[in-house]
Amino acid sequence: MKIEVHLYAMLRESIGSSCWLEFTQPRITCEDVVVAFKEKFPMFVHSPLRVAINHSFANSTDLIANEGDHIALIPPVSGG
């Protein structure tokens, strides 16, 4: 299974890319995505990150992503 993780806002600006990593293991959870990202980019270890799957925020850290899903990491945002 191949999954790309798309980055938005300050994550994209800090990393310098809108796409980050491809997972190849047969099963990937939202928690796996966040943990792997924070291991690779420890500057975000204390940042609360949200995961969206197919343009909807994931409600569970155990939600499993499937091949072909649009996975996004989204940092905290504010605005009106």
Side-chain angles (χ1 to χ4, degrees):
M1 176 167 69
K2 181 177 170 182
I3 294 178
E4 291 183 346
V5 178
H6 301 270
L7 304 176
Y8 293 93
M10 72 174 213
L11 299 178
R12 178 177 57 207
E13 293 166 10
S14 297
I15 304 308
S17 176
S18 62
C19 225
W20 159 59
L21 142 75
E22 296 176 351
F23 289 89
T24 55
Q25 62 256 45
R27 176 185 146 104
I28 185 81
T29 66
C30 295
E31 185 68 18
D32 294 333
V33 171
V34 172
V35 167
F37 182 80
K38 289 181 177 185
E39 285 177 358
K40 184 161 176 85
F41 304 104
M43 63 189 144
F44 296 109
V45 73
H46 297 294
S47 296
L49 302 175
R50 300 274 321 258
V51 178
I53 298 179
N54 297 325
H55 310 286
S56 295
F57 283 113
N59 292 324
S60 169
T61 57
D62 294 331
L63 189 61
I64 298 172
N66 298 303
E67 188 166 13
D69 284 348
H70 182 274
I71 310 298
L73 272 181
I74 303 168
V77 295
S78 63

